[in-house]
Amino acid sequence: MENSEVLIRYSPVIMLILVYFIQLKIFVTPQELEKKHREILQEAENRFASRITVHDLKDRITEIKDKIDKICDYFFTNNQS
């Protein structure tokens, strides 16, 4: 058999498999992939904090803790005198 004859003979099966894959969305277009990528990035941005934000927050908490320690030291040293 020739290649074209095999292709013609099995073309209904090939078409059925392709339609099945398309219905299950096995194949996606680059536009659909880009859209999903943007959605995932947006969701991650809304759900999680960036490293910069977390680092800045840690610095602020450290500053607050240092100030509280200074206030406590001030009161304890003035109370004992």
Side-chain angles (χ1 to χ4, degrees):
M1 261 194 235
E2 263 185 59
N3 286 339
S4 61
E5 288 177 14
V6 171
L7 187 62
I8 291 172
R9 182 173 178 196
Y10 292 107
S11 63
V13 174
I14 294 170
M15 290 299 291
L16 183 66
I17 291 171
L18 283 175
V19 167
Y20 181 73
F21 283 162
I22 291 171
Q23 284 180 344
L24 291 178
K25 295 187 178 188
I26 301 284
F27 304 117
V28 294
T29 63
Q31 292 84 9
E32 291 172 338
L33 195 58
E34 179 63 31
K35 180 182 175 189
K36 191 63 176 175
H37 181 252
R38 276 187 260 121
E39 288 174 5
I40 291 170
L41 287 178
Q42 184 66 38
E43 183 179 338
E45 185 177 303
N46 291 337
R47 185 177 254 180
F48 302 106
S50 69
R51 286 185 180 183
I52 296 168
T53 306
V54 171
H55 184 68
D56 187 42
L57 188 59
K58 283 182 180 180
D59 288 343
R60 288 182 185 181
I61 290 172
T62 303
E63 283 179 33
I64 292 170
K65 183 181 175 214
D66 291 341
K67 289 178 182 179
I68 290 172
D69 288 342
K70 286 179 183 178
I71 292 170
C72 287
D73 289 343
Y74 176 78
F75 282 121
F76 287 132
T77 55
N78 285 342
N79 239 358
Q80 292 174 357
S81 320

Short mmCIF file of all heavy atoms in Angstrom, two decimals, residues 1 3 5 9-10 12 15 29 34-35 37 41-42 45-47 49 58 60 67 69-70 72 74 77-78:
data_model
loop_
_atom_site.label_atom_id
_atom_site.label_comp_id
_atom_site.label_asym_id
_atom_site.label_seq_id
_atom_site.Cartn_x
_atom_site.Cartn_y
_atom_site.Cartn_z
N MET A 1 0.83 -1.19 0.00
CA MET A 1 0.00 0.00 0.00
C MET A 1 0.87 1.24 0.00
O MET A 1 1.90 1.27 0.62
CB MET A 1 -0.85 0.04 1.27
CG MET A 1 -2.24 -0.45 1.06
SD MET A 1 -3.24 0.00 2.46
CE MET A 1 -3.85 -1.59 2.87
N ASN A 3 1.50 5.32 0.82
CA ASN A 3 1.25 6.19 1.98
C ASN A 3 -0.09 6.91 1.85
O ASN A 3 -0.81 7.06 2.84
CB ASN A 3 2.37 7.20 2.14
CG ASN A 3 3.63 6.55 2.68
OD1 ASN A 3 3.57 5.49 3.28
ND2 ASN A 3 4.75 7.18 2.44
N GLU A 5 -2.72 5.93 0.26
CA GLU A 5 -3.81 4.98 0.45
C GLU A 5 -4.04 4.69 1.94
O GLU A 5 -5.18 4.61 2.40
CB GLU A 5 -3.51 3.67 -0.30
CG GLU A 5 -3.59 3.76 -1.79
CD GLU A 5 -3.22 2.45 -2.48
OE1 GLU A 5 -3.14 1.41 -1.81
OE2 GLU A 5 -2.99 2.49 -3.70
N ARG A 9 -7.37 5.60 3.94
CA ARG A 9 -8.07 4.51 4.61
C ARG A 9 -8.32 4.83 6.09
O ARG A 9 -9.39 4.53 6.63
CB ARG A 9 -7.25 3.24 4.48
CG ARG A 9 -7.92 2.05 5.11
CD ARG A 9 -7.15 0.80 4.81
NE ARG A 9 -7.80 -0.33 5.49
CZ ARG A 9 -7.23 -1.48 5.67
NH1 ARG A 9 -6.00 -1.69 5.23
NH2 ARG A 9 -7.86 -2.46 6.28
N TYR A 10 -7.33 5.43 6.75
CA TYR A 10 -7.45 5.71 8.18
C TYR A 10 -7.85 7.16 8.49
O TYR A 10 -7.89 7.55 9.65
CB TYR A 10 -6.13 5.39 8.89
CG TYR A 10 -5.85 3.91 8.92
CD1 TYR A 10 -4.86 3.35 8.11
CD2 TYR A 10 -6.58 3.07 9.73
CE1 TYR A 10 -4.60 1.99 8.13
CE2 TYR A 10 -6.34 1.71 9.76
CZ TYR A 10 -5.35 1.17 8.96
OH TYR A 10 -5.11 -0.19 8.97
N PRO A 12 -10.81 8.70 8.54
CA PRO A 12 -11.92 8.88 9.48
C PRO A 12 -11.49 8.69 10.94
O PRO A 12 -11.92 9.44 11.82
CB PRO A 12 -12.95 7.82 9.07
CG PRO A 12 -12.63 7.50 7.65
CD PRO A 12 -11.15 7.69 7.52
N MET A 15 -9.44 11.74 11.97
CA MET A 15 -10.32 12.89 12.20
C MET A 15 -11.07 12.74 13.53
O MET A 15 -11.22 13.70 14.28
CB MET A 15 -11.33 13.04 11.05
CG MET A 15 -10.72 13.48 9.75
SD MET A 15 -9.95 15.08 9.87
CE MET A 15 -11.38 16.10 10.09
N THR A 29 -4.03 27.08 21.78
CA THR A 29 -3.38 28.06 20.93
C THR A 29 -2.44 28.90 21.79
O THR A 29 -2.61 28.99 23.01
CB THR A 29 -4.41 28.98 20.25
OG1 THR A 29 -5.10 29.71 21.27
CG2 THR A 29 -5.40 28.18 19.43
N GLU A 34 -1.17 32.23 26.60
CA GLU A 34 -0.77 33.54 27.12
C GLU A 34 -1.83 34.09 28.07
O GLU A 34 -1.51 34.66 29.12
CB GLU A 34 -0.52 34.51 25.97
CG GLU A 34 -0.12 35.90 26.41
CD GLU A 34 1.19 35.93 27.18
OE1 GLU A 34 2.07 35.09 26.91
OE2 GLU A 34 1.33 36.81 28.04
N LYS A 35 -3.10 33.93 27.71
CA LYS A 35 -4.19 34.40 28.56
C LYS A 35 -4.16 33.69 29.91
O LYS A 35 -4.28 34.32 30.97
CB LYS A 35 -5.53 34.16 27.87
CG LYS A 35 -6.72 34.62 28.67
CD LYS A 35 -8.02 34.31 27.96
CE LYS A 35 -9.20 34.65 28.84
NZ LYS A 35 -10.46 34.17 28.29
N HIS A 37 -1.61 32.27 31.30
CA HIS A 37 -0.39 32.69 31.98
C HIS A 37 -0.62 34.01 32.71
O HIS A 37 -0.22 34.17 33.87
CB HIS A 37 0.75 32.82 30.97
CG HIS A 37 2.05 33.23 31.55
ND1 HIS A 37 2.59 34.47 31.36
CD2 HIS A 37 2.92 32.56 32.35
CE1 HIS A 37 3.73 34.56 32.00
NE2 HIS A 37 3.96 33.42 32.61
N LEU A 41 -0.47 34.70 36.79
CA LEU A 41 0.37 35.75 37.37
C LEU A 41 -0.46 36.72 38.19
O LEU A 41 -0.04 37.13 39.29
CB LEU A 41 1.12 36.50 36.27
CG LEU A 41 2.27 35.75 35.62
CD1 LEU A 41 2.88 36.61 34.51
CD2 LEU A 41 3.32 35.39 36.63
N GLN A 42 -1.63 37.10 37.70
CA GLN A 42 -2.49 38.02 38.44
C GLN A 42 -2.96 37.40 39.75
O GLN A 42 -2.96 38.05 40.79
CB GLN A 42 -3.71 38.41 37.57
CG GLN A 42 -4.61 39.43 38.20
CD GLN A 42 -3.93 40.77 38.36
OE1 GLN A 42 -3.17 41.20 37.52
NE2 GLN A 42 -4.20 41.44 39.45
N GLU A 45 -0.10 37.36 42.16
CA GLU A 45 0.16 38.71 42.66
C GLU A 45 -0.85 39.11 43.73
O GLU A 45 -0.50 39.76 44.72
CB GLU A 45 0.11 39.70 41.49
CG GLU A 45 0.48 41.11 41.85
CD GLU A 45 0.46 42.00 40.62
OE1 GLU A 45 1.17 41.69 39.66
OE2 GLU A 45 -0.29 43.01 40.65
N ASN A 46 -2.09 38.72 43.55
CA ASN A 46 -3.13 39.04 44.53
C ASN A 46 -3.04 38.19 45.79
O ASN A 46 -3.40 38.64 46.87
CB ASN A 46 -4.53 38.87 43.91
CG ASN A 46 -4.82 39.91 42.86
OD1 ASN A 46 -4.24 40.98 42.84
ND2 ASN A 46 -5.72 39.58 41.95
N ARG A 47 -2.56 36.99 45.65
CA ARG A 47 -2.57 36.05 46.76
C ARG A 47 -1.30 36.09 47.61
O ARG A 47 -1.34 35.91 48.81
CB ARG A 47 -2.75 34.64 46.20
CG ARG A 47 -2.89 33.58 47.24
CD ARG A 47 -3.14 32.26 46.61
NE ARG A 47 -4.54 31.94 46.83
CZ ARG A 47 -5.12 30.85 46.41
NH1 ARG A 47 -4.46 30.00 45.69
NH2 ARG A 47 -6.38 30.62 46.66
N ALA A 49 2.62 37.82 48.72
CA ALA A 49 3.42 39.04 48.83
C ALA A 49 4.75 38.83 48.12
O ALA A 49 5.29 37.73 48.09
CB ALA A 49 3.66 39.38 50.30
N LYS A 58 9.68 42.95 57.38
CA LYS A 58 10.57 42.43 58.42
C LYS A 58 11.42 43.56 59.00
O LYS A 58 11.63 43.63 60.21
CB LYS A 58 11.47 41.34 57.86
CG LYS A 58 10.79 40.01 57.68
CD LYS A 58 11.78 38.98 57.16
CE LYS A 58 11.12 37.64 56.99
NZ LYS A 58 12.05 36.63 56.48
N ARG A 60 10.65 46.74 59.12
CA ARG A 60 9.78 47.59 59.95
C ARG A 60 9.49 46.94 61.30
O ARG A 60 9.47 47.62 62.33
CB ARG A 60 8.47 47.88 59.22
CG ARG A 60 8.62 48.83 58.06
CD ARG A 60 7.29 49.10 57.43
NE ARG A 60 7.44 49.92 56.25
CZ ARG A 60 6.43 50.34 55.52
NH1 ARG A 60 5.20 50.00 55.85
NH2 ARG A 60 6.64 51.08 54.46
N LYS A 67 12.43 49.87 69.06
CA LYS A 67 11.84 51.03 69.74
C LYS A 67 11.12 50.61 71.02
O LYS A 67 11.23 51.27 72.05
CB LYS A 67 10.89 51.77 68.81
CG LYS A 67 11.62 52.51 67.70
CD LYS A 67 10.66 53.20 66.75
CE LYS A 67 11.43 53.88 65.63
NZ LYS A 67 10.53 54.53 64.68
N ASP A 69 11.87 47.99 72.81
CA ASP A 69 12.92 47.64 73.76
C ASP A 69 13.51 48.89 74.41
O ASP A 69 13.77 48.91 75.62
CB ASP A 69 14.03 46.83 73.07
CG ASP A 69 13.61 45.41 72.73
OD1 ASP A 69 12.60 44.94 73.32
OD2 ASP A 69 14.27 44.79 71.87
N LYS A 70 13.71 49.95 73.63
CA LYS A 70 14.25 51.20 74.17
C LYS A 70 13.28 51.81 75.18
O LYS A 70 13.69 52.31 76.23
CB LYS A 70 14.54 52.19 73.05
CG LYS A 70 15.76 51.85 72.23
CD LYS A 70 15.97 52.87 71.13
CE LYS A 70 17.15 52.48 70.26
NZ LYS A 70 17.34 53.44 69.16
N CYS A 72 10.99 50.20 76.97
CA CYS A 72 11.00 49.34 78.15
C CYS A 72 12.24 49.61 78.98
O CYS A 72 12.18 49.71 80.22
CB CYS A 72 10.94 47.87 77.75
SG CYS A 72 9.32 47.37 77.15
N TYR A 74 13.99 52.33 79.10
CA TYR A 74 13.85 53.67 79.70
C TYR A 74 13.00 53.60 80.97
O TYR A 74 13.36 54.15 82.01
CB TYR A 74 13.26 54.63 78.69
CG TYR A 74 12.99 56.01 79.25
CD1 TYR A 74 14.02 56.91 79.42
CD2 TYR A 74 11.71 56.38 79.62
CE1 TYR A 74 13.79 58.18 79.95
CE2 TYR A 74 11.45 57.64 80.15
CZ TYR A 74 12.50 58.52 80.30
OH TYR A 74 12.26 59.76 80.83
N THR A 77 14.82 51.54 83.81
CA THR A 77 15.96 52.22 84.43
C THR A 77 15.47 53.40 85.27
O THR A 77 16.05 53.69 86.32
CB THR A 77 16.96 52.72 83.37
OG1 THR A 77 16.29 53.54 82.42
CG2 THR A 77 17.66 51.56 82.71
N ASN A 78 14.41 54.09 84.85
CA ASN A 78 13.89 55.21 85.62
C ASN A 78 13.07 54.72 86.82
O ASN A 78 12.96 55.41 87.82
CB ASN A 78 13.00 56.12 84.76
CG ASN A 78 13.84 56.97 83.82
OD1 ASN A 78 15.03 57.14 84.03
ND2 ASN A 78 13.21 57.50 82.80
#
